[in-house]
Amino acid sequence: MLLEDLNVILKVAEFRNITAAAESLDMRTATASAAIKRVERALGVELFIRTTRHLRLSVAGEKYIPNCEQALQLLNFAKQNVKEDLDVIDGELRISVPSDLGRNLILPWLDEFIHEHAGVSVKLHISDSNIDFYRDPVDIALRYGTPNDANLYGFKICKVPRVICATTEYLKNNGLPQHPNDLTTHNGLLYQLHDIIHDVWEFDHNEKSIKVKVQSNRASNDAELVRRWCVNGKGIATKSSLDMSNDLLNDKVVPILKEFAPKPTELWLICPSRQTITPAVRLLREHFRIKCAEVFAQLINKGVLTQENIK
């Protein structure tokens, strides 16, 4: 009995749908169906009751699946322990990353990581939306914001200061804001997630919070597009300092309202289970931490951030 076939069985039991299970495993439906038949033939029982519209576990399946899951977990733990003892770093990393950060920073960082660890391969999923680990074909996700699902395993990469920025040309034509309230007369470049437009920007100043609702003629659910608008002089943006780092360091945009700190965020690496925390994932987590620290050091040297911003 093949271990790959048992993984198919567990996915089908999870999704209650062969097609959905096949998609999550990146295989054809016919291949998944063949795996089910092989396991059932080896056991001499049917694990699933299938009709034209529905699929459910049989009595035998309800008894078999939990034991199968425990057995595969033990095998995975044993495999990971052996690799850790031998310092073996390999396997496929199926990772989801945010659009702007992913394309402009994570992509070259992953190239470095693969170059250092030739046994590792990557499948990259770029999206700003929340990840559903039971539906999306990914094993780990890099996301801004603190995870709020207690069932997930999260590793904080770093605190990420936000910056308010624009091009010098835009500021020359529209004036330099001296206070967050001045933003109401400017064009804000807005980010939209789950049909919610983030048009209220929050600042901290002298331990007080300042909230400003900005006007805009541009909004997008793609964070990279917001960055491009900003670099093209279409307005003012509030963005992750990591997302804007290359543009800030190359003077394509300049930070404004530096004495009024936009509310910071955090960068987290999220895993759905302990089984996905492989030696490669642990090394990747540390790789991301080092690379983020390098970017922040450059921004501090440039005068964009201070040491206090990243504590």
Side-chain angles (χ1 to χ4, degrees):
M1 194 178 300
L2 299 175
L3 290 179
E4 291 80 1
D5 289 351
L6 296 180
N7 282 320
V8 172
I9 292 295
L10 292 182
K11 279 295 179 184
V12 173
E14 177 184 319
F15 286 105
R16 297 295 198 271
N17 184 287
I18 297 176
T19 300
E23 289 177 353
S24 74
L25 293 169
D26 197 20
M27 65 171 56
R28 295 185 303 119
T29 302
T31 303
S33 296
I36 295 172
K37 291 178 181 178
R38 283 194 294 269
V39 174
E40 289 181 332
R41 187 164 54 247
L43 294 173
V45 296
E46 285 191 345
L47 298 175
F48 303 101
I49 305 299
R50 299 181 279 278
T51 67
T52 55
R53 293 187 178 182
H54 300 287
L55 179 146
R56 61 181 177 85
L57 286 173
S58 66
V59 173
E62 290 177 351
K63 294 180 179 179
Y64 181 75
I65 294 301
N67 292 330
C68 179
E69 189 171 18
Q70 290 176 6
L72 286 181
Q73 286 178 354
L74 287 173
L75 287 173
N76 284 331
F77 279 136
K79 183 178 178 181
Q80 288 184 31
N81 288 336
V82 169
K83 287 185 176 182
E84 288 178 0
D85 290 341
L86 298 176
D87 292 328
V88 176
I89 306 300
D90 64 1
E92 181 180 80
L93 293 172
R94 302 193 304 173
I95 179 171
S96 175
V97 298
S99 64
D100 199 354
L101 183 68
R103 289 184 173 93
N104 297 298
L105 289 181
I106 299 301
L107 196 59
W109 293 353
L110 285 175
D111 288 340
E112 291 181 20
F113 188 79
I114 294 173
H115 180 73
E116 294 174 5
H117 307 285
V120 174
S121 63
V122 168
K123 281 190 176 179
L124 193 61
H125 180 274
I126 292 184
S127 173
D128 286 329
S129 299
N130 291 332
I131 285 296
D132 183 344
F133 286 106
Y134 299 103
R135 292 290 177 181
D136 300 316
V138 299
D139 299 316
I140 53 177
L142 195 66
R143 284 293 182 270
Y144 284 120
T146 306
N148 54 17
D149 188 340
N151 295 317
L152 300 178
Y153 290 80
F155 302 95
K156 182 180 174 181
I157 302 299
C158 60
K159 175 185 175 182
V160 183
R162 284 192 174 97
V163 292
I164 304 291
C165 52
T167 62
T168 53
E169 182 182 4
Y170 173 86
L171 296 172
K172 180 180 178 180
N173 293 333
N174 297 274
L176 177 65
Q178 302 296 323
H179 189 278
N181 290 336
D182 296 340
L183 294 172
T184 57
T185 63
H186 286 266
N187 188 47
L189 304 172
L190 303 181
Y191 178 60
Q192 176 179 340
L193 185 62
H194 304 310
D195 297 325
I196 298 175
I197 296 180
H198 295 270
D199 58 357
V200 176
W201 295 355
E202 186 174 355
F203 302 81
D204 290 325
H205 183 63
N206 294 332
E207 299 183 353
K208 293 182 180 180
S209 177
I210 302 173
K211 293 184 179 181
V212 179
K213 185 176 177 64
V214 297
Q215 303 300 313
S216 175
N217 63 6
R218 287 175 171 82
S220 175
N221 65 346
D222 189 323
E224 186 187 20
L225 187 53
V226 176
R227 183 188 62 81
R228 289 186 183 184
W229 282 335
C230 185
V231 172
N232 289 331
K234 305 303 181 183
I236 296 176
T238 175
K239 289 273 292 174
S240 152
S241 54
L242 289 175
D243 288 358
M244 299 302 300
S245 58
N246 288 330
D247 302 310
L248 289 162
L249 293 170
N250 294 321
D251 297 318
K252 292 183 179 180
V253 298
V254 294
I256 61 175
L257 297 172
K258 292 174 65 174
E259 64 273 28
F260 299 90
K263 188 175 181 180
T265 185
E266 295 176 343
L267 188 64
W268 284 72
L269 188 65
I270 305 168
C271 309
S273 66
R274 289 176 59 86
Q275 286 69 45
T276 56
I277 308 172
T278 64
V281 169
R282 293 191 184 97
L283 276 181
L284 184 64
R285 176 189 64 196
E286 295 309 311
H287 183 65
F288 285 159
R289 285 175 174 166
I290 292 170
K291 301 306 291 187
C292 287
E294 290 176 356
V295 172
F296 290 144
Q298 294 178 60
L299 292 173
I300 290 172
N301 289 336
K302 182 78 173 179
V304 175
L305 299 178
T306 67
Q307 197 68 42
E308 289 298 318
N309 294 142
I310 61 174
K311 287 184 178 178

